[in-house]
Amino acid sequence: MDDRKLTDASCRMALAALMHDLGKFAERARIEEAEEKDAKGITRRDINAQLYCPHFDGRPTHIHAAYTGIALDLLERHCPELVGHDMAPFAPWKDKDADDSLINAAAKHHKPETFLQWVIATADRVASGFEREEFEKYNASVDETPQKTNHYSARQITLFEQIRLNGNVGDIPLAWRYPLNPLCPASIFPVRAEDCEVNEKAAAQREYRGLWLQFLAALDDIPQSHRAHLALWLDHFESLWQCFTQAIPAATAFNVKPEVSLYDHSKTTAALAVALWRYHYDQAHNAEEVRKKMEERADWSESKLLLVQGDFSGIQDFIFASGGETQRRAAKLLRGRSFYVSLLTECAALRVLDELSLPPTSQVVNAAGKFLIVAPNTDRARAALTRVQAELDRWFLAHTCGQSGIGLAWLPASCDDFLHGQGGESPFRKLMKRLFEQLEEVKLKRFGLCNESAPNLFANFLDAFDSAKGECKIDGRSPATEALDEKREIWVSALARDQIRTGEWLAQHERILVTRNSLDHNSLKLSLFGYWVNFTGDEDISGKFGREVASGNLQRVWDFSLPESADRPLWSGYARRNINAYVPRFEEANAWDAEKYRDVDDIEESERRPNAIKTLNHLAVDDRRLVTAADGIERWVGVKALMTLKGDVDNLGLIFQKGMERPTFAKMAALSRQMNAFFAIWLPWLCRTEFKNTYTVFAGGDDFFLIGPWHSTIRLARRMKEHFGHYVAHNCEIHFSAGLSMTKPGLPIRHLGRLAEEALDYAKTCNPERLKPPPKNSVTCYDISVTWKKFEELMERQAALEQLAGELQMSTGYLYALLSYTDMAGKEKKRPENALWHSHFAYRTRRMLEARIKGGDDPKSVQERRLRLQAALADEIAHKGIGRFGESYKIALFNYLYQQRD
C-alpha cells in the first residue's frame, strides 16, 4: 500500500473511531429516523439494537450504539466516498457479508467481534483509562442514569473545578456545568448547574434536538470537492465535530462523572485506534491472533504506541530578533512573527503526520508552540521521525542561525500505561511525568550540536553574503536576498520578507491554503518543511479550489477568523485553527489624521487606508483624553506610553501531573484544549469587542503577551484575571501571574520583550510572607509586585483618590510628595526614623488644605471643614493607602498621576 493509500486507510479508521459514540448525540436528540419501521413493523432502533448493543438480563444496554449505526447511515451523503471496492482497512460499506465494514467497526465498540472492531473497542477503553473489572461493570450497566439527572438533562461538569494540587476533590458538590451550546467565546465558560440542567426530560431532549439539527446543517458547509482528499476533509470534519460536541458529556453511565466531552473522548479514541491498527498492519501481524489477545487484554503491556511531542523553543528570540529596520515596521513584524510561530508549529506537526501517513485526528494537542501526536511504535515510525527532525533542524539552522527550533521527542507506551489506576497509584500519571521530563530533556539537546554528526552551522556562511545587499536589515545577521521596497534601497532575508508579508496579509485575509506547490496567490517566499503557505479570503476565488484538491496539491485549508460575536459558533466550513490574534486597526478613512495623532507621522503612505494596522506609536497616545480646563480651553491629557502585559498560568506542570484525581488520556487532552481556549478564543474576542487597541503578540496554551496603551492594558489585565477566575469555576488553586511594563514609544522591540519577561519573573517570585513554595498568583506593575487581591484593593484606593483629588483640586506637588512618603513607609521596619512620614503627611496635608480652603466670614466653619477634610484624607491616604500598602501604594498614585499629565 503506497503512502497516499495508507493515509486514506488511516483516515477511514480514524473516522470510524471518531464516530463510535455518534449515537450518544443522536439518541439524546431522539432523531426521528430511529422510529422508522420496516415491512414487519420493527423500528430501525430495535433492529440496530440487536446488531450493536450488548444484552444483560434479557434487554439491550448502551442503546446509543444502535443510534450510531442509524446516524452514520444519515451522514453518508455528506461524507467522502465510503462505498466501493477499496475501502481499506474495512470491507465495502453495505456489503451484506461485510462484518468488517466501517459502520460495524464504529457501532460495535460495546459488542466487538472482529479485529478492527476490537481495535476501536480497545482504543475506547484506553482513552477512558478503564481497568478491566471497572469496564465490565460499565458495559453491563443498564441505563445512563446519574443520581439526580437522567442522561438527557445531565450537563458536562468542568475539570477545572476538580483540580487539587494538595489533595483530591472527594465528595465536594460540583456546582458548575457547561451549557449545551456550540463552541463560541460565550459557551466555553461554565454556568451554575441550576441554570443549565433541566429535570424535564422532553425539554432536555429538545435542546439536543436543536443542536443536532445545527450540526447537520453545518455539515453541508464543507466544500463537496474536498471529499476527494480524505485527510483534508477529515480535518474540516474534526473542527465541525469539536464545535458541536465540545459540551456534550461523553459518559453519564455507571459511576462515571460527566466530565469529559464527547469531542475529547472521541478524538483521543480515534488517535489511539489508528496507532493500534497501524502498529499491527505495518508489521503484518496476524489479525486473528491479535484479536484474541485484545479480547483477553493479553497484550496490554506491549508498547504498541509512540507518543510524539513537538516543542518550539526560542519563541521570544524568534519574535524579537531585531536589526536597523525593525522599529519602523514593529507592528507588522510583531504580527507576522507571532503568526509565523504558529505556522511553523502547525506545518511541523503536519510534516510528522504526512511522514507517518497519519490522519489529522492523530494530532491530539497543538497549542502555544507544542503538539502531541499518537503514532504506532514501529521501526518505520521512529526512522521517519529521525528524518523529520533532521529536516526541521536544517530549516531553523539555515534561517534562524539556531536561535530557534522545533524539537521532537518520542516515548513508547503500552495500553496499561493509560490506566487511571486505583487509590494513589496511577500509571497514566507516571506516563505524564515521563512525558514532561522527556520534553525538558529535548530542550537541552536542541539541534544535537554536541554530537559528532552535528552540522557545521557556519560553513560557507560568509560566502552567502552579497556585498551590495549586505546583512538583513530586519534581523541584523542573515544574508540579505530580498528587496523590501520598490526602490530596492532596503534588503532583507527571505524569512524577514515573509514575516512582513504575513503581517500585511493578515489584515486582509482570514484563511490560508497549505499546498505542495506554491499557488502564487499571496504566497510566502519560503517553503515551510515542504509546504507552501498561501493567504486567501474570498471563498469563491480560493476557498474551494476543486482542481487543486483533485491534483493532490491542496493539503489543508485553515480558517483563523476571529469570532464575530460571543455566541456565534466557531465554524465556517473549514478546519479551524485558533492561531490568529487581535490586532488594532484604523476603522475609518483618515482616522490617522485625528487630532489625537497629530504628532504621530510614522504611517506609510501605502498603508493609509481603512482597516490599516495601527503602529505602536499610535497606540501610545490612544489613552489620552480631551478635557476642558477651567479657562474653557481644551487640551489633551495623559501620558504617552505603551504597556506590555505578559503572563502565564502558575504551576501548569503540577496541574497536569497531580491535579486530576483519576487522570486519563481524554481528560488530559480536554484540559489542554480548554486551557488553550481561554487565551486563544476568548481573549482575542475580548480585544476585538472591548480593548480594540491591544496587540496580541501571542496568546495560547497557558500564556500571553500583549501590547497596548498603558492604562487600557491595566484594565485588560484586571478583566482577564476576573474572567479567568470564572473560567476555572472559581477554583483558587488555578491562577496566573502577570507582568506589566510601562515604556515610552520608540523603545526597541527587543527591550519591550525583555522588560515584560523581567516583570513576569518578579511577579512569579513575589513572596512577602516568605512561604514555601512561593504562592505566585501575583502581578508586577511599575516594578512593584503584589498579589492580585492587593492589586484590586489598590484599584479601589485609586478610585477613592481620584474622587478626593477632583473635589479638592489637589496640586501635583502634593501628590508627588505622597510618593516619597510611600518610600519611607516601605522602609519603616529597617529604619525607624522613616516613621516620620506620618508627621510629614499631616503637615503637608494641613498646608494644602489651608491653601485650598481660605478664611471667610466664619473662621470657625472654615476650620471645622479643614479638620474634617484632613481627617478624611488621613483615613483614605495615610491609613487605607500608605499605612496599609506602603510602597505598593505607588501603583494607585502612578495610575492617577499619569492620567493627568499634559
Side-chain angles (χ1 to χ4, degrees):
M1 192 181 295
D2 62 31
D3 288 347
R4 175 61 185 269
K5 288 187 176 181
L6 186 57
T7 300
D8 286 350
S10 299
C11 285
R12 294 187 191 99
M13 172 58 73
L15 180 60
L18 191 68
M19 293 291 96
H20 79 283
D21 272 345
L22 171 66
K24 291 184 177 179
F25 191 1
E27 190 272 333
R28 294 172 197 175
R30 306 304 293 173
I31 59 173
E32 297 174 354
E33 291 81 359
E35 301 305 320
E36 293 175 354
K37 297 181 179 179
D38 64 6
K40 298 179 180 179
I42 303 174
T43 65
R44 292 178 69 179
R45 174 186 180 277
D46 291 339
I47 294 172
N48 278 269
Q50 291 299 317
L51 289 172
Y52 303 127
C53 299
H55 285 64
F56 291 93
D57 295 331
R59 58 179 294 188
T61 67
H62 299 276
I63 202 68
H64 68 267
Y67 278 82
T68 292
I70 299 169
L72 275 172
D73 269 338
L74 298 177
L75 299 188
E76 179 188 351
R77 70 179 184 85
H78 302 279
C79 295
E81 186 64 55
L82 296 175
V83 179
H85 296 292
D86 184 8
M87 292 295 110
F90 304 105
W93 197 352
K94 293 187 177 178
D95 184 325
K96 66 179 180 180
D97 297 320
D99 289 336
D100 254 351
S101 66
L102 186 150
I103 188 171
N104 283 350
K108 281 197 171 185
H109 57 283
H110 282 288
K111 190 182 176 181
E113 296 172 350
T114 69
F115 163 62
L116 294 179
Q117 291 165 16
W118 266 106
V119 166
I120 293 178
T122 300
D124 175 37
R125 300 169 195 190
V126 172
S128 298
F130 275 127
E131 302 284 350
R132 178 165 188 162
E133 297 77 10
E134 186 180 16
F135 178 78
E136 295 302 330
K137 292 179 181 178
Y138 170 76
N139 208 33
S141 57
V142 175
D143 199 4
E144 294 189 301
T145 310
Q147 292 182 352
K148 297 182 180 179
T149 54
N150 58 52
H151 66 287
Y152 301 107
S153 62
R155 296 293 174 259
Q156 185 182 328
I157 63 179
T158 167
L159 292 170
F160 291 122
E161 188 177 11
Q162 304 174 72
I163 295 294
R164 295 293 183 274
L165 301 183
N166 298 302
N168 294 328
V169 66
D171 296 326
I172 298 174
L174 300 176
W176 297 89
R177 305 288 188 274
Y178 290 109
L180 191 65
N181 292 322
L183 179 64
C184 61
S187 67
I188 64 176
F189 284 82
V191 300
R192 289 282 181 181
E194 57 269 22
D195 294 331
C196 69
E197 284 188 340
V198 292
N199 292 325
E200 184 185 357
K201 184 176 179 180
Q205 290 173 346
R206 283 195 297 271
E207 268 196 90
Y208 269 105
R209 179 68 174 169
L211 190 64
W212 173 262
L213 293 176
Q214 287 185 71
F215 167 68
L216 290 182
L219 190 52
D220 279 331
D221 294 336
I222 301 178
Q224 186 171 349
S225 62
H226 289 201
R227 298 178 190 176
H229 191 312
L230 259 176
L232 175 65
W233 180 89
L234 186 60
D235 199 24
H236 300 330
F237 181 79
E238 189 214 318
S239 290
L240 170 71
W241 186 242
Q242 177 186 3
C243 182
F244 288 94
T245 64
Q246 55 90 33
I248 296 177
T252 58
F254 183 47
N255 221 3
V256 180
K257 290 180 183 177
E259 59 188 349
V260 174
S261 74
L262 184 56
Y263 168 74
D264 291 302
H265 173 68
S266 57
K267 172 74 176 291
T268 48
T269 299
L272 291 165
V274 171
L276 289 171
W277 170 66
R278 284 286 302 280
Y279 174 78
H280 295 292
Y281 175 83
D282 290 356
Q283 299 178 100
H285 290 165
N286 182 280
E288 179 57 22
E289 291 179 2
V290 174
R291 182 198 66 78
K292 291 178 180 178
K293 290 182 179 180
M294 284 184 167
E295 188 173 359
E296 296 298 324
R297 283 203 182 192
D299 58 349
W300 273 48
S301 61
E302 186 176 346
S303 294
K304 300 181 180 182
L305 306 167
L306 197 64
L307 301 182
V308 183
Q309 297 182 99
D311 179 65
F312 195 122
S313 56
I315 289 179
Q316 292 219 152
D317 290 333
F318 186 87
I319 291 178
F320 296 113
S322 59
E325 289 294 318
T326 304
Q327 198 60 28
R328 289 185 56 201
R329 295 168 175 82
K332 288 181 184 177
L333 274 171
L334 282 176
R335 181 80 170 125
R337 285 173 169 174
S338 174
F339 193 84
Y340 218 91
V341 167
S342 299
L343 278 181
L344 287 167
T345 309
E346 291 286 351
C347 288
L350 179 57
R351 189 73 192 90
V352 172
L353 293 173
D354 280 354
E355 191 69 16
L356 298 178
S357 300
L358 293 174
T361 49
S362 291
Q363 179 179 315
V364 177
V365 174
N366 195 348
K370 294 180 175 62
F371 58 82
L372 175 65
I373 290 171
V374 184
N377 183 25
T378 61
D379 293 338
R380 176 183 183 274
R382 290 188 293 273
L385 291 170
T386 300
R387 291 195 302 272
V388 174
Q389 182 67 81
E391 185 177 354
L392 300 180
D393 287 348
R394 285 194 298 272
W395 194 96
F396 280 100
L397 288 171
H399 298 294
T400 75
C401 294
Q403 286 195 319
S404 305
I406 295 178
L408 300 178
W410 45 94
L411 182 70
S414 68
C415 293
D416 279 338
D417 288 328
F418 287 79
L419 297 175
H420 55 59
Q422 302 292 337
E425 291 295 321
S426 172
F428 184 70
R429 184 170 281 127
K430 293 179 181 178
L431 177 63
M432 287 291 297
K433 185 174 184 292
R434 296 205 307 273
L435 276 174
F436 275 88
E437 290 172 347
Q438 186 196 43
L439 198 57
E440 290 303 312
E441 184 177 337
V442 167
K443 291 178 181 179
L444 300 176
K445 297 180 178 179
R446 195 163 74 187
F447 302 114
L449 294 178
C450 295
N451 298 336
E452 292 183 1
S453 58
N456 187 344
L457 179 58
F458 295 105
N460 303 318
F461 179 70
L462 296 178
D463 295 337
F465 285 86
D466 183 326
S467 59
K469 300 173 184 177
E471 83 287 355
C472 172
K473 301 306 183 294
I474 294 298
D475 67 24
R477 62 169 183 265
S478 303
T481 59
E482 306 293 317
L484 193 57
D485 56 3
E486 294 181 357
K487 297 179 180 179
R488 304 172 71 83
E489 294 178 345
I490 301 173
W491 291 86
V492 298
S493 66
L495 176 59
R497 186 68 183 96
D498 274 357
Q499 291 167 346
I500 292 175
R501 283 173 174 166
T502 298
E504 293 171 350
W505 289 332
L506 283 172
Q508 307 165 38
H509 307 295
E510 296 182 324
R511 188 176 301 126
I512 56 178
L513 309 173
V514 181
T515 57
R516 286 292 187 186
N517 301 296
S518 177
L519 297 177
D520 196 22
H521 180 86
N522 295 332
S523 304
L524 296 183
K525 176 105 176 158
L526 287 178
S527 166
L528 305 186
F529 322 129
Y531 304 105
W532 296 90
V533 175
N534 315 268
F535 286 78
T536 181
D538 192 327
E539 182 175 355
D540 292 334
I541 295 175
S542 60
K544 298 183 179 179
F545 264 94
R547 182 180 300 176
E548 300 298 332
V549 175
S551 69
N553 188 33
L554 184 61
Q555 300 300 300
R556 295 290 189 272
V557 181
W558 291 329
D559 176 85
F560 53 83
S561 58
L562 293 176
E564 295 183 3
S565 64
D567 56 359
R568 180 163 181 173
L570 291 173
W571 170 247
S572 66
Y574 301 92
R576 179 169 180 82
R577 294 294 188 271
N578 296 314
I579 58 178
N580 196 1
Y582 183 74
V583 57
R585 311 170 190 268
F586 291 108
E587 297 179 347
E588 300 174 357
N590 301 318
W592 45 85
D593 291 329
E595 178 68 17
K596 181 189 296 186
Y597 304 125
R598 64 185 176 186
D599 296 328
V600 183
D601 59 358
D602 63 343
I603 185 168
E604 300 175 20
E605 191 66 33
S606 61
E607 295 294 323
R608 293 177 178 268
R609 62 177 184 273
N611 213 36
I613 297 176
K614 287 186 177 182
T615 69
L616 297 184
N617 287 340
H618 287 98
L619 297 187
V621 300
D622 269 327
D623 272 352
R624 285 169 61 82
R625 299 169 294 118
L626 189 63
V627 299
T628 303
D631 56 8
I633 299 176
E634 291 186 334
R635 60 190 176 93
W636 288 94
V637 299
V639 68
K640 299 177 182 178
L642 294 168
M643 187 74 83
T644 54
L645 169 60
K646 191 175 192 300
D648 60 44
V649 175
D650 298 317
N651 307 313
L652 185 70
L654 287 177
I655 289 173
F656 276 91
Q657 294 179 53
K658 295 184 177 181
M660 291 179 281
E661 184 177 6
R662 291 161 65 90
T664 68
F665 192 38
K667 284 185 189 179
M668 182 276 290
L671 192 62
S672 176
R673 176 182 65 83
Q674 291 170 338
M675 188 70 79
N676 178 66
F678 180 84
F679 301 107
I681 294 177
W682 179 80
L683 180 56
W685 174 82
L686 178 70
C687 291
R688 177 174 183 165
T689 54
E690 295 187 43
F691 295 89
K692 295 187 176 182
N693 292 315
T694 304
Y695 264 102
T696 47
V697 180
F698 57 79
D702 71 310
D703 63 350
F704 52 92
F705 190 118
L706 313 173
I707 301 176
W710 74 276
H711 194 244
S712 295
T713 305
I714 291 175
R715 293 192 294 108
L716 173 58
R718 296 175 64 195
R719 181 69 65 83
M720 288 176 63
K721 175 62 178 175
E722 174 191 356
H723 279 73
F724 189 72
H726 181 192
Y727 187 73
V728 298
H730 302 282
N731 185 341
C732 62
E733 296 197 41
I734 310 177
H735 40 73
F736 65 77
S737 294
L740 288 155
S741 176
M742 187 177 185
T743 57
K744 285 287 189 179
L747 193 70
I749 292 300
R750 63 181 179 275
H751 291 317
L752 292 183
R754 178 178 56 79
L755 291 173
E757 185 69 30
E758 289 176 356
L760 177 57
D761 287 343
Y762 292 147
K764 291 282 189 181
T765 56
C766 174
N767 190 11
E769 305 297 329
R770 300 188 182 280
L771 301 174
K772 292 185 179 181
K776 302 181 182 180
N777 195 21
S778 299
V779 58
T780 299
C781 188
Y782 308 123
D783 294 327
I784 299 169
S785 299
V786 295
T787 64
W788 279 106
K789 184 176 183 295
K790 279 193 174 182
F791 191 74
E792 283 304 313
E793 292 172 352
L794 285 165
M795 296 303 101
E796 294 174 5
R797 301 280 61 82
Q798 175 196 332
L801 177 65
E802 288 178 356
Q803 183 176 352
L804 286 170
E807 291 175 359
L808 298 175
Q809 295 185 345
M810 295 178 186
S811 67
T812 54
Y814 174 79
L815 291 167
Y816 276 101
L818 298 180
L819 293 172
S820 65
Y821 304 152
T822 63
D823 285 331
M824 294 174 68
K827 301 171 184 176
E828 191 172 334
K829 291 182 179 180
K830 295 182 178 180
R831 300 184 64 184
E833 62 267 30
N834 281 324
L836 290 172
W837 75 264
H838 294 275
S839 58
H840 291 326
F841 170 80
Y843 174 76
R844 190 67 180 255
T845 301
R846 190 180 79 237
R847 292 296 301 273
M848 184 269 293
L849 292 173
E850 288 174 352
R852 288 284 180 271
I853 304 172
K854 301 295 185 179
D857 296 335
D858 187 357
K860 182 179 179 181
S861 173
V862 171
Q863 183 64 16
E864 288 177 352
R865 187 183 176 201
R866 287 174 179 167
L867 291 173
R868 186 171 64 254
L869 289 173
Q870 184 164 1
L873 288 169
D875 179 61
E876 175 54 44
I877 298 176
H879 176 61
K880 295 179 180 177
I882 300 175
R884 171 169 168 70
F885 296 102
E887 188 180 16
S888 300
Y889 189 62
K890 283 183 179 179
I891 293 176
L893 286 171
F894 281 139
N895 274 357
Y896 174 74
L897 287 167
Y898 288 151
Q899 291 182 78
Q900 314 309 315
R901 277 194 181 176
D902 291 339

